Amino acid sequence: MTQQDIARMTGVSQATVSLVLNGRADADVRIAPETRDRVLQAIRSTGYVADPIARRLAARHNRIIGVFTYEPVFPTGTGDFYHPFLVGIEQCAEQLGCDLLLFTSAPVVDGRRRVFHEDNRLRLADGCVLLGRSLDHHELTRLVAEGLPFVSVGRRDDAGGPVPYVGADYPAATAALVHRAVGVGHRRLAYVGQGDGPTGPDRRPAPESHADRLRGFTAAVAATGVTTRHEPTADRSPADLLDALLDAGVTAAFVEEYADGAAIAGLARERGLSIPGDLSILALGDPTRPAPTDIDFSGFRIPRRQMGWQAVEVLTTLLEPTGRSEIQRLLSCEPVDGATLAPPAGSGRSTK
């Protein structure tokens, strides 16, 4: 069944059928309501489905949103870190009447997938949502330069121009935790994680999400005047980290990775230490890798589903002719009271 078939059935031109299908009318053509109804009835009765490629040529959009992942992110279970992001992307696309296209043919170079390659199919979609902890800066620069519609899930530094993104406000969430710890009497704090330092054998820059957490921590402790230290986690065991914290007299540790906090807390328990009696541990987000533990960590949760949802929203605004407003959004994280923050031993203070 084609538009020509619909036109013959209803006694109108193919151009009229096209206008009805796209829900619009040219300035010089007025379609009578009864004609529109007749065409729509024929479409319904025949089960006609418009060719998405043809509709894209006519309307410049085929209502297909691409999803590109720099890392294997599709979950094996609902407890996976990336699952809520994908749920948000899917739910928003469904509400907008769009289909999702997962790009899986990207080659892996130096352990990472690449957007640009000789068989790049990015333009099959109207635009693309990029998902992954660390995105390639050179590819972001090229995406911005070529004007390809895309949105990153997670804040990204400028890459030859502003990068559209929907991210979590890690600096504000981390700073709030610092003030909370100081408020119950902690004066010796430590940041446990990569922060803004390079990582891996190729010394890649830190992900913005890690750098943002350290930035919030540093700004907050500077305002309070407490004693702090930074314990990088690269190539260090939980035992090494715990020993360093205890030797320095740290009473509250802010862990960048939830799994590192779980490992340190578990080891502390094995040594007969109390969490949080001897050491408070605050988790700066949700687990990004398996971290089996029964500990209810104090900290904050990342608005993952909302980030995925709003990334699709921002992408749809970019696809509009004048859609360049509010291409960067930061969403608030949700505080978690938990059970791993308490006043330091001997302070006589309350957590309230």
Side-chain angles (χ1 to χ4, degrees):
M1 183 63 63
T2 66
Q3 288 189 22
Q4 288 182 339
D5 296 326
I6 298 294
R8 281 194 295 268
M9 290 174 59
T10 55
V12 300
S13 68
Q14 182 180 342
T16 298
V17 175
S18 178
L19 290 172
V20 172
L21 278 169
N22 288 291
R24 58 187 177 87
D26 289 347
D28 298 331
V29 179
R30 181 180 180 277
I31 302 175
E34 58 270 19
T35 301
R36 184 182 300 275
D37 291 342
R38 190 165 70 251
V39 171
L40 290 173
Q41 178 58 38
I43 291 170
R44 284 191 292 267
S45 64
T46 60
Y48 170 81
V49 178
D51 175 14
I53 302 300
R55 290 194 67 176
R56 175 169 185 167
L57 291 174
R60 300 200 60 177
H61 300 305
N62 59 15
R63 306 188 74 79
I64 293 179
I65 294 173
V67 179
F68 182 90
T69 66
Y70 273 90
E71 301 139 21
V73 300
F74 272 73
T76 55
T78 56
D80 186 275
F81 176 72
Y82 287 102
H83 181 261
F85 293 113
L86 297 167
V87 169
I89 291 171
E90 180 186 31
Q91 289 177 339
C92 187
E94 181 181 13
Q95 184 179 80
L96 295 170
C98 295
D99 291 308
L100 294 177
L101 175 62
L102 173 65
F103 294 104
T104 57
S105 64
V108 177
V109 180
D110 296 330
R112 304 178 68 190
R113 293 175 177 165
R114 299 296 179 186
V115 170
F116 293 103
H117 54 95
E118 62 182 15
D119 196 23
N120 171 32
R121 300 170 186 172
L122 208 62
R123 293 186 184 274
L124 287 175
D126 296 326
C128 192
V129 175
L130 304 183
L131 188 60
R133 179 181 300 183
S134 180
L135 306 191
D136 186 272
H137 187 76
H138 296 295
E139 293 201 329
L140 287 178
T141 301
R142 182 171 172 183
L143 285 167
V144 171
E146 295 187 5
L148 294 171
F150 77 96
V151 176
S152 164
V153 176
R155 189 194 72 80
R156 307 298 168 189
D157 294 329
D158 285 359
V163 173
Y165 64 73
V166 176
D169 194 348
Y170 293 121
T174 304
L177 277 182
V178 170
H179 290 295
R180 184 176 157 196
V182 171
V184 299
H186 289 280
R187 294 295 180 269
R188 300 186 73 84
L189 281 55
Y191 184 95
V192 181
Q194 178 185 1
D196 55 4
T199 183
D202 55 356
R203 310 294 290 170
R204 291 176 184 166
E208 287 88 345
S209 58
H210 289 177
D212 286 352
R213 288 173 169 90
L214 180 59
R215 180 159 52 89
F217 177 84
T218 303
V221 297
T224 59
V226 299
T227 302
T228 65
R229 62 187 292 113
H230 179 191
E231 293 291 346
T233 52
D235 303 319
R236 298 179 70 184
S237 68
D240 181 30
L241 291 169
L242 178 58
D243 289 341
L245 295 172
L246 297 176
D247 290 345
V250 170
T251 60
F254 294 71
V255 291
E256 188 177 82
E257 286 287 347
Y258 189 102
D260 291 335
I264 292 170
L267 182 60
R269 282 178 165 182
E270 291 178 6
R271 294 183 180 182
L273 299 175
S274 169
I275 303 295
D278 296 306
L279 177 66
S280 289
I281 299 179
L282 298 99
L284 305 181
D286 305 279
T288 62
R289 61 181 190 266
T293 180
D294 60 353
I295 299 175
D296 179 20
F297 280 102
S298 304
F300 60 77
R301 292 193 181 95
I302 305 166
R304 293 175 287 173
R305 190 189 70 84
Q306 294 89 336
M307 288 169 66
W309 181 293
Q310 293 196 31
V312 176
E313 284 187 340
V314 172
L315 182 59
T316 59
T317 66
L318 290 173
L319 295 173
E320 298 300 322
T322 58
R324 294 298 299 179
S325 61
E326 199 188 8
I327 65 170
Q328 296 179 336
R329 300 180 184 179
L330 284 180
L331 309 185
S332 298
C333 297
E334 177 189 355
V336 177
D337 289 339
T340 57
L341 172 63
S347 68
R349 297 205 184 191
S350 168
T351 56
K352 300 297 184 183

